[in-house]
Amino acid sequence: MALSWLLLILLALAVIGYFAGRSRALASADGDARALHSLPSYYGYNVALTALIPALGILIIWLLAQPLIVENTVSGMIPDTAISEGSDRGLVMSEVRRVAYGLDGAIASGLLSEAQARNADADVQALTQSLKDAGQVLTQDISKPILLAAQKYRGITSTGSIAMQMAVLIVALVGAALAYIRTHKEFRARNVVEQGILALLLLAASIAILTTVGIVLSMLFETMNFFQLHSWKDFFLGSTWAPNFRGGSELSILPLLWGTLYISLVALLVAVPVGLFAAIYLSEYATGATRSIAKPLLEILAGIPTIVYGLFALLTVGPALVSLFGDGGALGLGWMASSNAVLTAGLVMGIMLIPFVSSLSDDIINAVPQSMRDGSLGLGATKSETVRQVVLPAALPGIVGAILLAASRAIGETMIVVMAAGAIAKFSGNPFEAMTTITTRIVSQLTGDTDFASPETLVAFALGLTLFIITLGLNIFALYIVRKYREQYE
């Protein structure tokens, strides 16, 4: 039974439970809904939710736990002799999964029977060719230990799936039966249903927090593994970034952090003036008709995918800057040798950040009480003097918070800097030179065939955790400032 069919059965059971619970409640009151403690629908909801929610909980837990149990069981039966030099058990398990999925695909396409797939004495060479003929991707020829492990993997997975379906259906039926039996006119169905919905809302609210905690813990554990293999002094205090998977790597975060902050600074120098001036115009000078058109058009920039900005930087902005500042350019300065440069990434990232600054600043400026503007104008100040000397000082804490939020967004940007900033980790103040960032190196270190037992790969998690702490600090500080500002006028 496919998972989709199981979900449809659960949904059908919940619908049947709803009508059954509703009918039983009305029957217990001799058809008089006024004699019931709750509305008839609540009795139906109680039966439906009691059947559906526990079953879905079992299903989710099973789907999360079964792969881990299968992996540990099958991994333990792979002999050490099946692990070639330069490989590890995790890579062998990846091949086992590919073979297992390949057998499923070959059976589905009719090239193999179930008996042939389960045959432990099958010719591994012929089986390898059969899987390749079926279009299955294999990185190497199947060996006997991998075939046995793949067959065990399929067997345990199949058994587990059948057991999961039975357990889910039994829990759903038992839940529906118990809820149906206790349905009577005095049963406080409304209270039970509302408490259940409250628990679901609390669970939904907790998912974001638990996800954040899980992300932090996963990065923290991998970072601890990294510092067991590499000196923390070189990471935090060194001056060179030179990863080498053959050994002797220098993995200092400082040149990457410098490139990240430098490109972010250039982006903010573009985004803050333009975004702030746009916010002042929209909130203080623009007519209602102009604002209704200009503000949505400006905020469209926030909806453009960053990969599009990266292509714009690579194909348009970078070559334009080279034609202006490069050798043989319009200015003849020879400052810029390549389109990959700090200035290219900073300019395009600044364009991307304009709606962040303008939208948040516009909301903050509009929150300044109109009475302060009226008082300034009543004392003889002009419109521009009122903006400069009254509105902006009053809105300054909120504007600073908006700038800090934009800065955290710039620090965490990936695609623009990957495509436009370059890949050179160094300390330099020249905006016309290529430079790299923390996010670029994270992508680089985790791309391709990587060994997660080497410091050159694990350093990505240390970089990610450091970047997370920096952006989290900026966000908390910015939200604190904005909240403190809002409390003055609310």
Side-chain angles (χ1 to χ4, degrees):
M1 184 191 304
L3 182 60
S4 57
W5 281 107
L6 181 61
L7 293 176
L8 286 176
I9 292 174
L10 290 178
L11 183 60
L13 184 60
V15 173
I16 295 172
Y18 170 81
F19 289 105
R22 191 175 185 276
S23 299
R24 181 177 174 83
L26 288 172
S28 68
D30 297 327
D32 185 6
R34 294 175 297 178
L36 298 174
H37 172 273
S38 309
L39 292 174
S41 59
Y42 280 106
Y43 294 91
Y45 290 140
N46 177 58
V47 177
L49 292 176
T50 306
L52 189 62
I53 301 304
L56 288 178
I58 295 293
L59 178 62
I60 293 173
I61 293 174
W62 200 297
L63 289 175
L64 293 175
Q66 178 173 304
L68 299 178
I69 296 174
V70 173
E71 289 273 337
N72 291 333
T73 303
V74 176
S75 177
M77 65 176 291
I78 298 176
D80 293 337
T81 55
I83 304 174
S84 60
E85 185 178 354
S87 182
D88 57 30
R89 194 169 294 272
L91 294 176
V92 175
M93 276 304 302
S94 298
E95 189 65 22
V96 169
R97 286 193 296 271
R98 278 192 286 268
V99 173
Y101 298 150
L103 291 173
D104 291 336
I107 293 172
S109 61
L111 294 178
L112 285 178
S113 65
E114 185 65 37
Q116 289 175 317
R118 292 183 177 182
N119 184 11
D121 298 323
D123 184 355
V124 292
Q125 294 182 350
L127 189 60
T128 301
Q129 189 60 45
S130 297
L131 294 184
K132 290 181 179 179
D133 292 340
Q136 305 300 323
V137 178
L138 300 176
T139 59
Q140 61 186 33
D141 290 342
I142 302 174
S143 62
K144 198 68 174 181
I146 289 180
L147 175 61
L148 295 175
Q151 291 171 337
K152 185 71 172 179
Y153 187 96
R154 292 184 69 246
I156 297 176
T157 301
S158 177
T159 303
S161 297
I162 295 173
M164 176 190 70
Q165 295 163 12
M166 295 178 60
V168 169
L169 291 177
I170 290 173
V171 168
L173 291 171
V174 170
L178 291 176
Y180 180 81
I181 291 172
R182 66 177 182 173
T183 298
H184 55 84
K185 65 179 182 179
E186 300 297 334
F187 180 66
R188 299 176 179 271
R190 183 185 63 187
N191 297 358
V192 173
V193 170
E194 289 181 348
Q195 289 175 359
I197 296 298
L198 180 61
L200 289 177
L201 294 175
L202 180 61
L203 177 63
S206 303
I207 288 177
I209 299 174
L210 295 176
T211 301
T212 303
V213 172
I215 292 173
V216 173
L217 290 179
S218 64
M219 289 194 299
L220 181 61
F221 292 145
E222 296 297 342
T223 300
M224 293 171 60
N225 293 333
F226 166 71
F227 285 124
Q228 291 176 355
L229 300 174
H230 193 82
S231 170
W232 66 269
K233 293 182 179 179
D234 178 62
F235 181 76
F236 289 110
L237 304 177
S239 59
T240 303
W241 172 266
N244 186 351
F245 284 89
R246 290 173 293 183
S249 297
E250 295 182 83
L251 303 173
S252 173
I253 192 177
L254 293 183
L256 306 181
L257 184 60
W258 168 252
T260 301
L261 297 179
Y262 193 10
I263 294 175
S264 300
L265 176 62
V266 174
L268 291 176
L269 289 177
V270 174
V272 171
V274 176
L276 184 56
F277 291 160
I280 293 172
Y281 172 75
L282 291 174
S283 61
E284 299 297 322
Y285 294 99
T287 63
T290 303
R291 177 182 172 84
S292 65
I293 297 174
K295 188 173 176 63
L297 288 177
L298 186 63
E299 292 181 347
I300 286 177
L301 292 174
I304 299 176
T306 55
I307 184 66
V308 176
Y309 281 112
L311 291 173
F312 176 63
L314 183 66
L315 301 177
T316 305
V317 177
L321 291 176
V322 171
S323 65
L324 188 64
F325 297 105
D327 291 329
L331 300 179
L333 299 174
W335 290 349
M336 195 168 180
S338 171
S339 59
N340 290 330
V342 171
L343 188 60
T344 304
L347 285 175
V348 177
M349 193 187 301
I351 296 172
M352 181 195 70
L353 294 177
I354 288 174
F356 289 90
V357 177
S358 65
S359 182
L360 292 172
S361 299
D362 180 49
D363 294 338
I364 294 297
I365 292 173
N366 282 324
V368 176
Q370 184 63 33
S371 59
M372 296 181 66
R373 297 179 177 85
D374 295 339
S376 175
L377 295 173
L379 291 173
T382 64
K383 183 74 171 178
S384 61
E385 290 172 340
T386 299
V387 172
R388 290 197 314 270
Q389 300 176 12
V390 176
V391 176
L392 288 182
L396 185 60
I399 293 173
V400 171
I403 295 172
L404 291 176
L405 288 175
S408 66
R409 177 69 179 84
I411 291 174
E413 173 55 35
T414 302
M415 289 311 303
I416 294 176
V417 292
V418 166
M419 301 182 71
I424 302 175
K426 63 180 179 180
F427 294 97
S428 173
N430 187 354
F432 299 100
E433 292 183 354
M435 210 170 291
T436 193
T437 64
I438 294 177
T439 53
T440 303
R441 291 300 93 196
I442 293 175
V443 172
S444 176
Q445 298 308 113
L446 295 178
T447 301
D449 294 331
T450 56
D451 179 10
F452 278 86
S454 67
E456 290 76 17
T457 299
L458 293 175
V459 69
F461 297 96
L463 293 173
L465 184 61
T466 305
L467 188 65
F468 174 81
I469 293 173
I470 293 173
T471 54
L472 179 64
L474 281 174
N475 287 339
I476 292 175
F477 185 51
L479 292 175
Y480 168 76
I481 292 177
V482 172
R483 189 169 302 160
K484 182 177 180 180
Y485 162 75
R486 285 177 178 170
E487 290 175 354
Q488 290 179 323
Y489 300 112
E490 291 182 356

